[in-house]
């Protein structure tokens, strides 16, 4: 229109699946870069080696990266024998126990993200530096796996398998 007024016209284009993946990766990268640039010394990283129970044990490395000053956490899970890490995002954290004069106990729920979709959840209970419970629930069939810490395979900066 040429009537002197400003008109807001929005056009919505369908976004191909590949573009959605790029957008998610770009957002994760931007969040990590922004957090790292504002508080480089505050970025913390922790990893644990875990092994499942049962006849055919499954070993994995659980790694979390974050900045507690801005309440930001991401991570990944790397299964033994795999070269591809699976990104995880902290989706929920709650206090389970607030015992005085002891570290609080937390339960964290991490969403596993593959091809831009949540494909499972990891539930981690921890008190201080100790993981007291670690389970994985597959989104596809609801199957659950329990894991315990595998201290024998802890390296200085990664699991030694």
């Amino acid at each position: 229109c040429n009537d002197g007024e400003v008109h807001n016209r929005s056009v919505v284009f369908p976004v191909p699946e590949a573009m959605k993946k790029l957008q998610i990766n770009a957002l994760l990268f931007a969040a990590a870069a922004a957090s790292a640039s504002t508080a480089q010394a505050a970025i913390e990283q922790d990893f644990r080696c875990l092994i499942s129970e049962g006849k055919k044990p499954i070993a994995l490395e659980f790694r979390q990266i974050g900045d507690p000053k801005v309440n930001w956490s991401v991570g990944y899970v790397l299964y033994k024998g795999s070269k591809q890490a699976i990104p995880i995002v902290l989706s929920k954290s709650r206090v389970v126990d607030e015992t005085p004069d002891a570290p609080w106990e937390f339960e964290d729920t991490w969403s596993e993200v593959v091809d831009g979709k949540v494909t499972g959840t990891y539930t981690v209970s921890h008190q201080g530096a100790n993981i007291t419970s670690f389970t994985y629930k597959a989104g596809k069939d609801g199957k659950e796996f329990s894991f315990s810490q595998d201290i024998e395979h802890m390296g200085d900066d990664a699991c030694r398998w």
Side-chain angles (χ1 to χ4, degrees):
C1 286
N2 216 359
D3 57 9
E5 292 183 32
V6 176
H7 296 273
N8 183 6
R9 296 183 186 178
S10 297
V11 178
V12 178
F13 295 99
V15 179
E17 205 53 43
M19 184 59 83
K20 288 180 186 176
K21 290 177 195 173
L22 284 173
Q23 290 171 337
I24 290 170
N25 288 337
L27 286 172
L28 288 172
F29 178 76
S35 182
S37 67
T38 58
Q40 288 180 2
I43 299 296
E44 296 177 357
Q45 187 172 174
D46 185 36
F47 77 95
R48 301 301 168 95
C49 304
L50 298 128
I51 192 158
S52 70
E53 301 162 358
K55 293 179 183 179
K56 294 183 180 179
I58 301 166
L60 65 83
E61 178 179 301
F62 167 69
R63 185 173 299 265
Q64 52 189 339
I65 304 151
D67 183 347
K69 290 183 181 178
V70 295
N71 199 27
W72 172 79
S73 291
V74 295
Y76 66 81
V77 172
L78 179 64
Y79 284 86
K80 180 181 177 181
S82 176
K83 293 182 182 181
Q84 181 67 43
I86 301 170
I88 55 175
V89 178
L90 183 62
S91 51
K92 182 176 152 186
S93 184
R94 70 182 185 93
V95 177
V96 176
D97 186 15
E98 299 178 32
T99 303
D101 300 325
W104 288 9
E105 184 175 355
F106 293 89
E107 181 182 86
D108 298 335
T109 303
W110 294 82
S111 297
E112 174 184 76
V113 182
V114 176
D115 294 330
K117 296 178 183 157
V118 175
T119 56
T121 55
Y122 295 87
T123 303
V124 184
S125 296
H126 58 95
Q127 185 171 21
N130 297 317
I131 291 179
T132 56
S133 173
F134 188 101
T135 59
Y136 171 71
K137 183 175 182 179
K140 194 181 236 182
D141 59 10
K143 195 169 185 179
E144 287 194 31
F145 301 86
S146 294
F147 293 81
S148 56
Q149 289 190 83
D150 183 4
I151 296 169
E152 177 184 333
H153 290 98
M154 289 286 294
D156 290 335
D157 58 359
C159 298
R160 294 182 318 240
W161 290 314

